[in-house]
């Protein structure tokens, strides 16, 4: 993050004196030619007198106005002031008053200039809001509520700790919280709305990036991938689930925790590489499989390390529990011959019906030897073979 005021000062349009100084230096360096040194908000076609034939005359008037605004006619003074203030296309030009016009009528022609808003402040505020949104996208995971015990927020050095967003850093204050700002195209927090109050913008950003899920993704160089992640996290209401979906997630989470508790209680001295602390992996994997099955996927091939493998075999691949338990106790009779390898190295290949979609799906967890890097090419090779034999040339079934 950077200081918005410094950036805004660099982007602020040049004053008349600064422009004259720049023009004078340019005149000394090379013969003067007509160059577009200031970008008017009104295009050339919007004013009746701006054309290629009048460019030299307008240039001379503009240089004279920069050196002394009183040296040109009042109508030119009003036009150049309106254009520099950011007047809308076609509104900067005011017709010169007739000869019979009094001074009071001439002063009324200056109403457009006096009614112009503080353009610099308006631009700075909108840039500040965009910087604030980007700050949440880049660093929001640092203040996400990922520590249920609050240990990471303990101040061991007795120094003030501030984790809440400081809008004052961006040149905003409490009076700006109720102002409405247009949202940039790099955020989806507005949903169908293109503008929101600053207070609501901060609230939605807090809900998207600073709750119990932290996402760090702005280092990704692919713009399409970043936009996909933004849309999945920022769209209003995207994290809401129906009661049936909540029951399904709870049931899957309970199955994963109970499995680990049972193994720990029955065989506490056995090496098993449990999934404690990451039980949410089970409902996450099963949700991915459900969504893939809805999209027409028939084969899912996975590779994974030792930790959590037994839980995945039991609750995702649906390996028989008898086959898993007999590997813990030598007194139990083995349900199959097996490969002789340890239990947390074995894989599984199983075809079953997905209960959510009522479609057949084949799940495969490849065996994992001690050298983990050997599992990656095996998964890729097996996936390619399955695609070849089922005719999946587009990679949409496997």
């Amino acid at each position: 993050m950077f200081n918005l005021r410094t950036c805004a000062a660099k982007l602020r349009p040049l004053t008349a004196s600064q422009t004259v100084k720049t023009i004078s230096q340019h005149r000394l360096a090379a013969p003067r030619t007509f160059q577009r040194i200031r970008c008017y908000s009104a295009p050339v076609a919007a004013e009746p007198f701006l054309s290629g034939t009048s460019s030299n005359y307008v240039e001379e008037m503009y240089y004279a106005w920069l050196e002394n605004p009183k040296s040109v006619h009042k109508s030119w003074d009003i036009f150049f002031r309106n254009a520099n203030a950011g007047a809308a296309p076609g509104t900067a030009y005011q017709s010169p008053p007739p000869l019979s016009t009094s001074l009071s009528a001439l002063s009324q022609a200056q109403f457009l200039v006096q009614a112009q808003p503080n353009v610099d402040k308006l631009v700075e505020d909108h840039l500040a809001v965009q910087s604030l949104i980007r700050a949440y996208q880049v660093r929001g995971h640092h203040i996400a509520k990922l520590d249920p015990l609050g240990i990471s927020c303990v101040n061991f050095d007795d120094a003030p700790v501030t984790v809440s967003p400081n809008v004052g850093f961006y040149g905003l204050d409490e009076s700006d919280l109720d102002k409405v700002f247009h949202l940039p195209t790099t955020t989806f927090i507005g949903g169908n709305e293109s503008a929101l109050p600053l207070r609501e913008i901060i609230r939605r950003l807090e809900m998207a990036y600073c709750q119990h899920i932290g996402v760090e993704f702005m280092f990704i160089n692919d713009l399409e991938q970043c936009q996909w992640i933004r849309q999945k996290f920022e769209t209003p209401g995207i994290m809401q689930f129906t009661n049936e979906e909540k029951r399904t997630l709870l049931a899957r989470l309970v199955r994963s925790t109970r499995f680990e508790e049972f193994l720990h209680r029955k065989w506490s001295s056995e090496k098993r590489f449990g999934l404690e602390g990451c039980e949410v992996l089970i409902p996450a994997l099963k949700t991915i499989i459900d969504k893939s099955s809805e999209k027409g996927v028939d084969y899912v091939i996975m590779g994974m390390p030792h930790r959590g493998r037994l839980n995945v075999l039991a609750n995702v691949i649906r390996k028989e529990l008898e086959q898993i338990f007999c590997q813990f106790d030598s007194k139990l009779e083995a349900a199959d011959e097996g490969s002789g390898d340890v239990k947390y190295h074995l894989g599984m290949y199983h075809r079953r019906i997905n209960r959510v979609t009522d479609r057949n799906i084949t799940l495969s967890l490849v065996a994992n030897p001690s050298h983990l890097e050997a599992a990656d090419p095996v998964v890729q090779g097996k996936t390619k073979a399955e695609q070849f034999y089922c005719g999946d040339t587009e990679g949409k079934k496997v």
Side-chain angles (χ1 to χ4, degrees), residues 255-256 258-260 262-263 267 309-329 332-336 343 348 350:
R255 288 177 65 91
S256 65
R258 291 301 185 185
F259 179 81
E260 297 293 341
F262 178 78
L263 294 182
W267 298 284
R309 172 174 288 265
L310 295 177
N311 207 319
V312 172
L313 287 172
N315 293 316
V316 178
I317 309 298
R318 294 298 179 86
K319 184 177 182 178
E320 295 293 336
L321 295 179
E322 291 83 354
Q323 298 181 18
I324 297 177
F325 296 154
C326 72
Q327 297 170 357
F328 282 90
D329 197 339
L332 299 178
E333 182 179 356
D336 57 357
K343 49 187 170 295
M348 180 68 178
H350 182 55

Side-chain angles (χ1 to χ4, degrees), residues 15-261:
T15 60
S17 59
Q18 292 172 330
T19 307
V20 170
K21 182 179 180 181
T22 303
I23 295 172
S24 301
Q25 295 174 353
H26 181 71
R27 286 177 174 176
L28 295 175
R32 187 182 69 189
T33 57
F34 180 66
Q35 295 180 354
R36 189 179 179 183
I37 61 175
R38 185 178 297 275
C39 181
Y40 294 110
S41 62
V44 173
E47 306 293 354
F49 58 91
L50 293 180
S51 63
T53 57
S54 61
S55 59
N56 291 332
Y57 176 72
V58 175
E59 177 192 15
E60 294 293 338
M61 298 299 294
Y62 182 57
Y63 286 146
W65 177 80
L66 289 176
E67 296 175 359
N68 184 11
K70 296 183 179 180
S71 64
V72 299
H73 192 269
K74 196 64 180 178
S75 60
W76 281 113
D77 182 26
I78 295 175
F79 170 74
F80 289 135
R81 290 170 62 187
N82 288 339
N84 285 347
T91 61
Y93 171 71
Q94 296 290 314
S95 300
L99 296 177
S100 59
T101 304
S102 61
L103 293 177
S104 61
L106 182 61
S107 62
Q108 294 177 0
Q110 304 179 22
F111 175 75
L112 180 62
V113 177
Q114 299 174 356
Q116 288 294 333
N118 191 341
V119 179
D120 288 348
K121 173 62 175 174
L122 187 63
V123 171
E124 287 184 7
D125 289 347
H126 278 80
L127 288 176
V129 172
Q130 294 190 26
S131 299
L132 182 64
I133 293 174
R134 186 171 181 84
Y136 272 98
Q137 295 172 346
V138 175
R139 303 180 61 84
H141 61 280
H142 287 290
I143 57 175
K145 303 173 184 177
L146 306 181
D147 182 16
L149 301 180
I151 297 177
S152 61
C153 297
V154 175
N155 183 12
F156 296 100
D157 299 328
D158 295 330
V161 178
T162 303
V163 296
S164 59
N166 184 7
V167 295
F169 178 81
Y170 300 94
L172 303 169
D173 50 33
E174 295 292 333
S175 61
D176 295 322
L177 291 176
D178 295 323
K179 291 182 180 179
V180 178
F181 294 91
H182 287 280
L183 298 174
T185 57
T186 56
T187 184
F188 296 88
I189 60 175
N192 297 327
E193 302 175 83
S194 60
L196 289 173
L198 179 59
R199 191 186 306 275
E200 181 64 14
I201 292 175
I202 295 177
R203 189 191 71 82
R204 296 191 182 187
L205 290 171
E206 291 276 349
M207 294 296 297
Y209 293 109
C210 303
Q211 295 304 306
H212 300 292
I213 297 178
V215 54
E216 184 178 6
F217 66 99
M218 289 299 290
F219 62 89
I220 300 176
N221 294 326
D222 193 319
L223 179 60
E224 184 179 356
Q225 294 180 11
C226 287
Q227 287 290 82
W228 188 88
I229 296 176
R230 287 194 192 105
Q231 184 177 9
K232 294 301 179 182
F233 275 85
E234 296 180 356
T235 302
I238 199 169
M239 292 293 183
Q240 297 178 357
F241 301 96
T242 63
N243 291 334
E244 187 61 28
E245 291 174 336
K246 292 179 180 179
R247 293 189 185 97
T248 302
L249 293 174
L250 177 61
R252 293 172 173 176
L253 190 60
V254 170
R255 288 177 65 91
S256 65
T257 55
R258 291 301 185 185
F259 179 81
E260 297 293 341
E261 291 175 0

Side-chain angles (χ1 to χ4, degrees), residues 253-320:
L253 190 60
V254 170
R255 288 177 65 91
S256 65
T257 55
R258 291 301 185 185
F259 179 81
E260 297 293 341
E261 291 175 0
F262 178 78
L263 294 182
H264 179 70
R265 184 171 62 252
K266 295 292 291 184
W267 298 284
S268 58
S269 61
E270 284 284 336
K271 184 183 293 185
R272 56 186 175 85
F273 294 98
L275 196 62
E276 287 90 346
C278 193
E279 292 86 354
V280 74
L281 173 68
I282 302 303
L285 283 177
K286 293 177 73 67
T287 302
I288 293 174
I289 294 173
D290 294 342
K291 295 297 182 181
S292 301
S293 181
E294 291 179 1
K295 300 296 183 180
V297 173
D298 296 327
Y299 297 86
V300 176
I301 302 171
M302 298 181 292
M304 65 177 297
H306 301 338
R307 186 166 186 256
R309 172 174 288 265
L310 295 177
N311 207 319
V312 172
L313 287 172
N315 293 316
V316 178
I317 309 298
R318 294 298 179 86
K319 184 177 182 178
E320 295 293 336

